[in-house]
Amino acid sequence: MRFIDNSMLKIESLKEMTGWSNSVHCDRQKIGFVPTMGALHQGHLSLIAAAKKKCDLVVVSIFVNPLQFNEETDFVNYPVDLAGDFKQLEELGVDVCFLPTKESMYQRLPLLNLEMPELIDCLCGKDRPGYLEGVMLIVAKLFNVVKPDEVFFGQKDYQQCLVVKRLIEDLNYDLKFNICPTVRDESGLALSSRNRRLSPEGLQLAASFVQILCSLRRRLQAFLSSYPQDKLLEKSGGSVINLVKFKSDGEEILKTVKGVKLEYLEICCADDLGEVVENRKVLVAVAFWVEGVRLIDNLLV
Ligand code: AMP
């Protein structure tokens, strides 16, 4: 199936993709899979590098999934740069770039509706109805076609990671889930395909917002370690920590960045997005708008 010069295969057909994977598995080779929506940047490339390290062969999909956009304009304006993407993937030595068409992935509008209320009725799932349901469906479809041994997702989309991890468990997919750290530019701003839609001023505003978020995390760290020890000792093993005031103060501070609109600040348990509980990792997550572009970020404490 591979070209003699070892160049990257570009596969559009679902049947051909599955055929390639089956032949690879016959040779007992491990497939690492990185699903993306294209307009690739160093964040995507870090997932590919992780996949290359752990697996024999790497498949990267590029598919802008219409079902996970709750706003038509966001879908229409989503950046596309296939030529640039192919160049980067070839340079990295990716084995297959899988480019399914919309018609092949969705022959008809699906009747199946996957739900996971405990994990999706909060954070981005609350503000973008249909987004995580759309993610679950496309990820399940891609896993069925690509048949990977390991998959690689970015911490930047933290809620998506939890949902996909649980989907793998609930549907008994025989594959290993890997979460990779968020890649940032030198200002601290998380890389995102949507950053391409920002002007230099917009990028600066987003960066200053994220810098405030980092200072909030430092304050939260200090707050949690100074949380009255007697309270923690009293109810060892799972007492809920009250962060209402901390959160509302944080919201006020983040709202002071002119030109940036805060959509949400959430501070929750990193395991299940529920209430913050002692001895468990805490997630600080934000969604915000700059120049009409919605960005997200998160930090773990
Ligand atoms: P997307 O193309 O935005 O759907 O993202 C594809 C994958 O890349 C997802 O698993 C994202 O979480 C991941 N990703 C996006 N941005 C970053 C980043 N800055 N650092 C690490 N991973 C990222």
mmCIF file of all heavy atoms in Angstrom, residues 35-38 41 43-44 46-47 78 153-154 156-157 160 181-183 190-191, ligand 1:
data_model
loop_
_atom_site.group_PDB
_atom_site.id
_atom_site.type_symbol
_atom_site.label_atom_id
_atom_site.label_comp_id
_atom_site.label_asym_id
_atom_site.label_seq_id
_atom_site.Cartn_x
_atom_site.Cartn_y
_atom_site.Cartn_z
ATOM 1 N N PRO A 35 -6.700 12.650 15.767
ATOM 2 C CA PRO A 35 -7.783 13.313 15.016
ATOM 3 C C PRO A 35 -7.653 14.836 15.128
ATOM 4 O O PRO A 35 -7.423 15.352 16.225
ATOM 5 C CB PRO A 35 -9.062 12.840 15.732
ATOM 6 C CG PRO A 35 -8.644 11.955 16.852
ATOM 7 C CD PRO A 35 -7.175 12.106 17.055
ATOM 8 N N THR A 36 -7.804 15.529 13.994
ATOM 9 C CA THR A 36 -7.733 17.001 14.015
ATOM 10 C C THR A 36 -8.765 17.591 13.053
ATOM 11 O O THR A 36 -9.347 16.873 12.239
ATOM 12 C CB THR A 36 -6.344 17.539 13.558
ATOM 13 O OG1 THR A 36 -6.301 17.549 12.120
ATOM 14 C CG2 THR A 36 -5.194 16.719 14.097
ATOM 15 N N MET A 37 -8.896 18.913 13.159
ATOM 16 C CA MET A 37 -9.733 19.625 12.185
ATOM 17 C C MET A 37 -8.849 20.463 11.260
ATOM 18 O O MET A 37 -9.332 21.382 10.588
ATOM 19 C CB MET A 37 -10.763 20.492 12.906
ATOM 20 C CG MET A 37 -11.734 19.652 13.729
ATOM 21 S SD MET A 37 -13.306 20.424 14.009
ATOM 22 C CE MET A 37 -12.827 21.793 15.027
ATOM 23 N N GLY A 38 -7.543 20.187 11.245
ATOM 24 C CA GLY A 38 -6.647 20.872 10.320
ATOM 25 C C GLY A 38 -6.218 22.248 10.792
ATOM 26 O O GLY A 38 -6.370 22.584 11.965
ATOM 27 N N HIS A 41 -0.927 23.411 13.882
ATOM 28 C CA HIS A 41 0.083 24.237 14.556
ATOM 29 C C HIS A 41 0.905 23.340 15.470
ATOM 30 O O HIS A 41 0.675 22.116 15.522
ATOM 31 C CB HIS A 41 -0.600 25.382 15.328
ATOM 32 C CG HIS A 41 -1.707 24.913 16.229
ATOM 33 N ND1 HIS A 41 -1.485 24.136 17.346
ATOM 34 C CD2 HIS A 41 -3.060 25.073 16.159
ATOM 35 C CE1 HIS A 41 -2.636 23.865 17.934
ATOM 36 N NE2 HIS A 41 -3.615 24.411 17.231
ATOM 37 N N GLY A 43 0.801 22.722 18.502
ATOM 38 C CA GLY A 43 0.021 21.925 19.450
ATOM 39 C C GLY A 43 -0.328 20.575 18.833
ATOM 40 O O GLY A 43 -0.096 19.517 19.424
ATOM 41 N N HIS A 44 -0.860 20.606 17.603
ATOM 42 C CA HIS A 44 -1.159 19.351 16.894
ATOM 43 C C HIS A 44 0.129 18.536 16.706
ATOM 44 O O HIS A 44 0.138 17.325 16.884
ATOM 45 C CB HIS A 44 -1.738 19.644 15.503
ATOM 46 C CG HIS A 44 -3.043 20.385 15.506
ATOM 47 N ND1 HIS A 44 -3.164 21.680 15.072
ATOM 48 C CD2 HIS A 44 -4.289 19.999 15.892
ATOM 49 C CE1 HIS A 44 -4.429 22.069 15.167
ATOM 50 N NE2 HIS A 44 -5.130 21.074 15.669
ATOM 51 N N SER A 46 2.734 18.401 18.430
ATOM 52 C CA SER A 46 3.226 17.752 19.658
ATOM 53 C C SER A 46 2.491 16.416 19.880
ATOM 54 O O SER A 46 3.076 15.460 20.380
ATOM 55 C CB SER A 46 3.054 18.673 20.868
ATOM 56 O OG SER A 46 1.682 18.761 21.225
ATOM 57 N N LEU A 47 1.216 16.362 19.505
ATOM 58 C CA LEU A 47 0.474 15.099 19.629
ATOM 59 C C LEU A 47 1.044 14.069 18.645
ATOM 60 O O LEU A 47 1.185 12.888 18.970
ATOM 61 C CB LEU A 47 -1.017 15.282 19.315
ATOM 62 C CG LEU A 47 -1.821 16.361 20.046
ATOM 63 C CD1 LEU A 47 -3.295 16.219 19.710
ATOM 64 C CD2 LEU A 47 -1.641 16.261 21.531
ATOM 65 N N TYR A 78 -14.130 28.577 9.900
ATOM 66 C CA TYR A 78 -13.063 27.773 10.484
ATOM 67 C C TYR A 78 -11.881 27.720 9.510
ATOM 68 O O TYR A 78 -12.058 27.452 8.315
ATOM 69 C CB TYR A 78 -13.554 26.345 10.809
ATOM 70 C CG TYR A 78 -12.631 25.687 11.796
ATOM 71 C CD1 TYR A 78 -12.761 25.934 13.153
ATOM 72 C CD2 TYR A 78 -11.575 24.881 11.368
ATOM 73 C CE1 TYR A 78 -11.875 25.365 14.068
ATOM 74 C CE2 TYR A 78 -10.697 24.319 12.272
ATOM 75 C CZ TYR A 78 -10.855 24.569 13.613
ATOM 76 O OH TYR A 78 -9.972 24.026 14.514
ATOM 77 N N PHE A 153 -4.823 13.029 22.355
ATOM 78 C CA PHE A 153 -5.647 14.238 22.444
ATOM 79 C C PHE A 153 -4.923 15.273 23.301
ATOM 80 O O PHE A 153 -4.078 14.931 24.132
ATOM 81 C CB PHE A 153 -7.018 13.913 23.061
ATOM 82 C CG PHE A 153 -7.940 13.176 22.119
ATOM 83 C CD1 PHE A 153 -7.794 11.820 21.887
ATOM 84 C CD2 PHE A 153 -8.958 13.853 21.457
ATOM 85 C CE1 PHE A 153 -8.635 11.137 21.008
ATOM 86 C CE2 PHE A 153 -9.812 13.183 20.581
ATOM 87 C CZ PHE A 153 -9.644 11.820 20.355
ATOM 88 N N GLY A 154 -5.292 16.551 23.131
ATOM 89 C CA GLY A 154 -4.614 17.637 23.837
ATOM 90 C C GLY A 154 -5.366 18.100 25.080
ATOM 91 O O GLY A 154 -6.603 18.197 25.056
ATOM 92 N N LYS A 156 -5.587 20.901 26.113
ATOM 93 C CA LYS A 156 -6.229 22.199 25.880
ATOM 94 C C LYS A 156 -7.751 22.037 25.824
ATOM 95 O O LYS A 156 -8.488 22.900 26.307
ATOM 96 C CB LYS A 156 -5.731 22.818 24.586
ATOM 97 C CG LYS A 156 -6.313 24.168 24.397
ATOM 98 C CD LYS A 156 -5.875 24.836 23.158
ATOM 99 C CE LYS A 156 -6.964 25.779 22.758
ATOM 100 N NZ LYS A 156 -7.866 25.175 21.780
ATOM 101 N N ASP A 157 -8.215 20.935 25.243
ATOM 102 C CA ASP A 157 -9.657 20.665 25.204
ATOM 103 C C ASP A 157 -9.957 19.648 26.313
ATOM 104 O O ASP A 157 -10.233 18.480 26.044
ATOM 105 C CB ASP A 157 -10.042 20.134 23.828
ATOM 106 C CG ASP A 157 -9.744 21.153 22.739
ATOM 107 O OD1 ASP A 157 -10.615 21.961 22.435
ATOM 108 O OD2 ASP A 157 -8.604 21.161 22.221
ATOM 109 N N GLN A 160 -13.271 17.743 26.474
ATOM 110 C CA GLN A 160 -13.302 16.788 25.363
ATOM 111 C C GLN A 160 -12.504 15.531 25.731
ATOM 112 O O GLN A 160 -12.921 14.408 25.447
ATOM 113 C CB GLN A 160 -12.719 17.467 24.123
ATOM 114 C CG GLN A 160 -12.502 16.563 22.947
ATOM 115 C CD GLN A 160 -12.107 17.345 21.708
ATOM 116 O OE1 GLN A 160 -12.923 18.002 21.091
ATOM 117 N NE2 GLN A 160 -10.844 17.297 21.328
ATOM 118 N N PRO A 181 0.199 17.590 26.987
ATOM 119 C CA PRO A 181 0.102 18.934 27.561
ATOM 120 C C PRO A 181 -0.183 20.023 26.522
ATOM 121 O O PRO A 181 0.149 19.874 25.342
ATOM 122 C CB PRO A 181 1.479 19.165 28.201
ATOM 123 C CG PRO A 181 2.340 18.035 27.807
ATOM 124 C CD PRO A 181 1.506 16.977 27.161
ATOM 125 N N THR A 182 -0.756 21.112 26.981
ATOM 126 C CA THR A 182 -1.076 22.247 26.104
ATOM 127 C C THR A 182 0.211 22.954 25.665
ATOM 128 O O THR A 182 1.054 23.278 26.496
ATOM 129 C CB THR A 182 -1.961 23.257 26.866
ATOM 130 O OG1 THR A 182 -3.135 22.570 27.294
ATOM 131 C CG2 THR A 182 -2.351 24.440 25.991
ATOM 132 N N VAL A 183 0.327 23.199 24.363
ATOM 133 C CA VAL A 183 1.475 23.945 23.843
ATOM 134 C C VAL A 183 1.085 25.415 23.727
ATOM 135 O O VAL A 183 -0.005 25.743 23.237
ATOM 136 C CB VAL A 183 1.910 23.393 22.461
ATOM 137 C CG1 VAL A 183 3.057 24.212 21.888
ATOM 138 C CG2 VAL A 183 2.302 21.927 22.584
ATOM 139 N N ALA A 190 -2.339 29.749 24.638
ATOM 140 C CA ALA A 190 -2.412 28.386 24.091
ATOM 141 C C ALA A 190 -2.573 28.461 22.575
ATOM 142 O O ALA A 190 -3.382 29.255 22.069
ATOM 143 C CB ALA A 190 -3.600 27.656 24.708
ATOM 144 N N LEU A 191 -1.808 27.657 21.850
ATOM 145 C CA LEU A 191 -1.952 27.641 20.398
ATOM 146 C C LEU A 191 -3.319 27.076 20.035
ATOM 147 O O LEU A 191 -3.814 26.161 20.689
ATOM 148 C CB LEU A 191 -0.853 26.791 19.761
ATOM 149 C CG LEU A 191 0.583 27.236 20.026
ATOM 150 C CD1 LEU A 191 1.563 26.374 19.243
ATOM 151 C CD2 LEU A 191 0.780 28.707 19.655
HETATM 152 P P1 AMP B 1 -8.576 20.511 16.732
HETATM 153 O O1 AMP B 1 -7.914 20.502 15.391
HETATM 154 O O2 AMP B 1 -8.719 21.883 17.319
HETATM 155 O O3 AMP B 1 -9.842 19.701 16.776
HETATM 156 O O4 AMP B 1 -7.560 19.776 17.714
HETATM 157 C C1 AMP B 1 -7.093 18.482 17.456
HETATM 158 C C2 AMP B 1 -6.331 17.994 18.663
HETATM 159 O O5 AMP B 1 -5.250 18.870 18.942
HETATM 160 C C3 AMP B 1 -7.215 17.971 19.933
HETATM 161 O O6 AMP B 1 -6.909 16.802 20.679
HETATM 162 C C4 AMP B 1 -6.756 19.210 20.665
HETATM 163 O O7 AMP B 1 -6.934 19.134 22.061
HETATM 164 C C5 AMP B 1 -5.291 19.258 20.309
HETATM 165 N N1 AMP B 1 -4.743 20.615 20.485
HETATM 166 C C6 AMP B 1 -5.257 21.777 20.006
HETATM 167 N N2 AMP B 1 -4.523 22.830 20.431
HETATM 168 C C7 AMP B 1 -3.534 22.320 21.211
HETATM 169 C C8 AMP B 1 -2.449 22.881 21.945
HETATM 170 N N3 AMP B 1 -2.227 24.201 21.979
HETATM 171 N N4 AMP B 1 -1.634 22.052 22.624
HETATM 172 C C9 AMP B 1 -1.835 20.700 22.607
HETATM 173 N N5 AMP B 1 -2.833 20.102 21.931
HETATM 174 C C10 AMP B 1 -3.680 20.895 21.235
#
